[in-house]
Amino acid sequence: MQSIRGMHDILPEEMKYWQYIYDKVFHTLDSANYQEIRTPIVESKSLFERSIGQDTDIINKEMYTLMDQGNRELTLRPEGTAGLARAIIQHKLCENSTMQKLWYLGPMFRYERPQKGRQRQFHQLGLECYGNNHPAIDAEVISLANNILADLGCNKLSIEINSIGSNHERAIYEQKLKEYLIKYINDLDNEYGQKIIRNPLRILDSKNPQIHKIVENAPRITNYLDIESKNHFEEVQEYLSILDVPFNLNHNLVRGLDYYNNTVFEIKTQLLGSQDTVCGGGRYNNLTQQLGGQQIDAIGWGIGLERLLILMQKNIILDKQVNCIYIATPNLVHVEYSLRILKLIKPHHLKYELDVSGSSLKKQLQKANRKNTMILIIVGEEEVRQQTVTIKWLNLHLQQTCSLTSFSSLIPKITLEYQNLLKHNQKYSAKQYPLVDISQKSSDNGAVE
Ligand code: ATP
Ligand code: MG
């Protein structure tokens, strides 16, 4: 059996990067007072049709839709904004002009041709700020995406911004654009012809080089903005500069979904070929209204995590983890005693490994070393008979034996040493490791070799 085309397992080795991203994002967004939200992966198909808009790639050809046993048409979410808007309306989260600053991370599904940086199940980190239309919010929201990407060591990125104005301004512009594009309709295949007629804006962000050439001289949306939209856009640019966020204007940036208005932006890389967009976002002040709720101003973005993972500097992730305790039981007849030792350790939340492979002590010692272990506990016949614990400090090449009771009182000290190691997040090495005075810890026989 194989996983579904375009849908991948994330194996433990890769998982540590995902966890690292999650932690970084959590701290950055928590300090900006954003709260995490999780909405279902499946929503009704109509939610996406009403928000993303007809004649978009997602609605036309990318959705995974299925019927459930109750004949409901359900769709695996292709993006996060629609479900979040539904949740805002359903739970009245913005009642009494409350602002909501939210973020999410989870899988999205689009039926696309899988390639590098493009999967059918992929993951987005998304951020959304509801309840305010001030251009300072636009700038702050863009700068948060920039901060997160920079923190994760992604470089050579460029931020592109544009304004697509209000619905009214866009309608006028669309007409002008159509008049311009229609001259080329016979040079283009039917798919583009349809777009020119039904949704000419979608032509602007096409990746086809032939279209690029045509679009070069097309009318620009920014020339059709009224004073309010113009001011908003100018202020966004001014505030971005104050926040030291570098950006470029891109007159053809319109984004592939219909719910946007005014500010739109993308963060691009030169390192990923045609899958060059890492982050996309914009304002969508009419989305909740479009879905039957009250009007609530909103802005947000989504970052594709698989693309981010390709770009991020994986070496910023610190050294190997340190295992605290490895319980070696070369002869499995002693396993009960090993479990008694384990019971003493468990409440202290130390990283431990219980080896019941039955392999030789030498092999278990090798495995403990490979796991970067701080102490090895050897359970053998002598220990069981005398009710003692033999501790081998692997870094110090020292060994001590103490009674079970003194082992219990030693655990807080072991914990402290282990925490020290974690705090410095150092790769385990004898030189770096703070030396422990074992003689003081060993209260009974002090048998340190
Ligand atoms: P693209 O132009 O690459 O198709 P998009 O405009 O469809 O992107 P958005 O809907 O803006 O993408 O989604 C935001 C981000 O999610 C993208 O910038 C990208 O990083 C990521 N993304 C979108 N589709 C995929 C996919 N199929 N596989 C992996 N990542 C994706
Ligand atoms: Mg796409």
Side-chain angles (χ1 to χ4, degrees), residues 58 62 79 110 112 117-120 122-124 207 255-257 260 266 274-281 302-307:
I58 293 183
E62 294 175 1
E79 52 97 61
R110 295 186 194 177
E112 302 192 76
R118 193 178 295 288
Q119 294 79 28
R120 290 184 172 172
F122 64 101
H123 295 74
Q124 272 185 1
K207 285 171 182 157
R255 308 281 299 121
L257 305 90
Y260 289 111
E266 284 187 349
S274 61
Q275 276 60 254
D276 62 353
T277 311
V278 191
C279 170
I303 290 179
L305 287 187
E306 282 79 2
R307 292 188 196 174

Side-chain angles (χ1 to χ4, degrees), residues 51 53 73 90 103 145 171 175-176 195 242 244 261 288 297 319 324 329 428 430:
S51 52
E73 240 184 342
Q90 181 176 337
W103 69 277
Q175 193 50 38
K176 293 282 172 207
K195 276 191 181 165
I242 292 174
D244 289 332
N261 70 278
T288 48
D297 297 322
D319 312 305
C324 184
T329 318
Y428 181 83

Side-chain angles (χ1 to χ4, degrees), residues 220-445:
R220 287 179 173 179
I221 185 138
T222 34
N223 295 332
Y224 293 83
L225 300 182
D226 67 20
I227 188 76
E228 202 181 313
S229 292
K230 250 194 192 122
N231 287 346
H232 186 101
F233 191 38
E234 272 163 21
E235 280 176 60
V236 172
Q237 295 173 54
E238 191 184 323
Y239 300 150
L240 281 173
S241 302
I242 292 174
L243 292 172
D244 289 332
V245 180
F247 62 89
N248 302 311
L249 297 181
N250 176 352
H251 301 287
N252 294 327
L253 179 66
V254 285
R255 308 281 299 121
L257 305 90
D258 278 355
Y259 49 62
Y260 289 111
N261 70 278
N262 292 86
T263 316
V264 289
F265 54 91
E266 284 187 349
I267 305 185
K268 292 192 173 164
T269 167
Q270 283 137 28
L271 306 173
L272 277 176
S274 61
Q275 276 60 254
D276 62 353
T277 311
V278 191
C279 170
R283 235 183 210 290
Y284 35 91
N285 292 347
N286 300 315
L287 179 57
T288 48
Q289 207 168 26
Q290 216 169 302
L291 292 174
Q294 58 172 141
Q295 187 276 328
I296 313 167
D297 297 322
I299 180 164
W301 48 250
I303 290 179
L305 287 187
E306 282 79 2
R307 292 188 196 174
L308 166 62
L309 272 155
I310 299 173
L311 297 177
M312 87 183 238
Q313 271 172 23
K314 300 214 169 136
N315 58 6
I316 59 177
I317 302 219
L318 301 151
D319 312 305
K320 263 199 192 157
Q321 290 206 358
V322 183
N323 184 49
C324 184
I325 298 177
Y326 196 101
I327 308 173
T329 318
N331 186 343
L332 290 178
V333 297
H334 302 128
V335 93
E336 271 180 34
Y337 192 73
S338 302
L339 288 174
R340 282 174 59 197
I341 296 176
L342 182 64
K343 201 162 80 177
L344 297 175
I345 295 165
K346 278 174 86 78
H348 299 272
H349 304 289
L350 300 167
K351 206 177 175 73
Y352 64 81
E353 180 82 34
L354 176 73
D355 190 333
V356 287
S357 65
S359 55
S360 68
L361 179 59
K362 191 174 161 206
K363 281 232 169 79
Q364 295 194 37
L365 173 66
Q366 282 168 350
K367 279 192 269 180
N369 272 322
R370 275 202 298 275
K371 281 197 173 288
N372 245 355
T373 299
M374 189 173 92
I375 63 174
L376 177 78
I377 291 179
I378 304 164
V379 178
E381 201 177 329
E382 194 59 19
E383 283 78 13
V384 177
R385 204 165 44 81
Q386 306 236 19
Q387 297 286 292
T388 53
V389 182
T390 297
I391 304 169
K392 203 173 171 64
W393 294 81
L394 294 181
N395 59 310
L396 302 171
H397 311 290
L398 291 174
Q399 190 166 312
Q400 70 180 120
T401 302
C402 59
S403 69
L404 261 183
T405 355
S406 11
F407 176 67
S408 291
S409 52
L410 197 58
I411 293 178
K413 287 186 178 166
I414 294 174
T415 308
L416 207 69
E417 298 307 336
Y418 182 58
Q419 280 164 352
N420 255 341
L421 268 185
L422 293 182
K423 197 156 69 202
H424 296 111
N425 220 327
Q426 292 161 327
K427 188 166 189 301
Y428 181 83
S429 97
K431 262 184 276 148
Q432 291 168 330
Y433 184 68
L435 290 179
V436 186
D437 184 357
I438 289 177
S439 57
Q440 280 173 19
K441 290 180 180 165
S442 176
S443 51
D444 36 345
N445 64 8

Side-chain angles (χ1 to χ4, degrees), residues 78-109:
E79 52 97 61
T81 301
L84 209 134
R86 192 235 352 104
I88 295 262
I89 300 167
Q90 181 176 337
H91 305 287
K92 304 186 172 60
L93 296 182
C94 290
E95 208 87 311
N96 309 318
S97 314
T98 318
M99 270 185 85
Q100 286 292 343
K101 299 188 199 170
L102 303 168
W103 69 277
Y104 57 84
L105 189 158
M108 307 291 160
F109 302 84

